[in-house]
Amino acid sequence: MRTLKATSHCRALLGRRCASHGAPHYNEPGGWLFGEKPPPPGQKRVKEDWENIWYVGMFGSMLAAAVLLYYKPDTSIQTWALKEAKERMEAREEKYKYERPSS
């Protein structure tokens, strides 16, 4: 009987603790994009200090990654095996290119 009472007491505490009452814990949407009011007509939006740095860093790193990937050395096993096979066949003085027999 005692364990049943303790269990019901714990459930009551958990129910109160997990209930979703009270004020919301997040910023409710206000209808503006990113929470910024649009400027009056005829005026430009003023950028914050970090925005230009972010654009340069983001797109600059994408450009650098694209260039580095384009010029990346070929380290595949197939390329190495083809080169090794050609070298061994040349060392044995065999032809590795197919030549069509003349008829």
Side-chain angles (χ1 to χ4, degrees), residues 32-61:
W32 305 110
L33 182 64
F34 304 119
E36 287 186 16
K37 291 184 180 180
Q43 289 185 358
K44 284 187 157 185
R45 180 183 163 273
V46 178
K47 286 187 178 181
E48 294 187 22
D49 294 337
W50 60 267
E51 290 184 68
N52 289 333
I53 296 169
W54 187 87
Y55 289 130
V56 169
M58 184 68 167
F59 296 115
S61 62

Side-chain angles (χ1 to χ4, degrees), residues 13-27:
L13 284 176
L14 287 174
R16 266 186 270 155
R17 202 177 312 159
C18 296
S20 59
H21 299 291
H25 299 287
Y26 62 93
N27 295 333

Side-chain angles (χ1 to χ4, degrees), residues 68-79:
L68 290 173
L69 283 173
Y70 183 77
Y71 289 107
K72 181 181 82 163
D74 185 14
T75 57
S76 68
I77 190 73
Q78 289 87 2
T79 306

